[in-house]
Amino acid sequence: MVFTLLHVPIFAALAYLFWEAPPALARISRLAFAAFCAVHVGLHWLFSEHPDYTFDSWDSNLLIGGAGGFGLIYLVAQSAHRRSRSST
């Protein structure tokens, strides 16, 4: 319950950083969060054999993997967009 409740202020901070912060800060925040989501999957995989690891249910794996997948897609899309803008 505490773990879940701690996500509320984190979500509020991210909402500000993504949509209300100055444009440069918002862009950096979105990139950093997408990178974190992608790396987060690797950290879960790395620690999945630890005896105290409890994030092994299908819903946890779906949320963790989904966030990582979308983070990776966002990073690839931003990279492609940046390359296409610099070549024009």
Side-chain angles (χ1 to χ4, degrees), residues 70-85:
F70 280 111
L72 189 59
I73 289 168
Y74 182 82
L75 292 171
V76 169
Q78 288 300 306
S79 177
H81 178 71
R82 198 179 282 167
R83 276 184 277 148
S84 71
R85 281 190 14 215

Side-chain angles (χ1 to χ4, degrees), residues 28-78:
I28 291 168
S29 298
R30 288 189 294 263
L31 288 171
F33 183 70
F36 167 77
C37 287
V39 169
H40 187 241
V41 172
L43 291 172
H44 273 274
W45 178 77
L46 184 66
F47 291 107
S48 64
E49 297 300 319
H50 191 278
D52 293 330
Y53 185 81
T54 59
F55 300 100
D56 53 0
S57 63
W58 70 268
D59 53 339
S60 287
N61 288 325
L62 179 67
L63 292 171
I64 294 163
F70 280 111
L72 189 59
I73 289 168
Y74 182 82
L75 292 171
V76 169
Q78 288 300 306

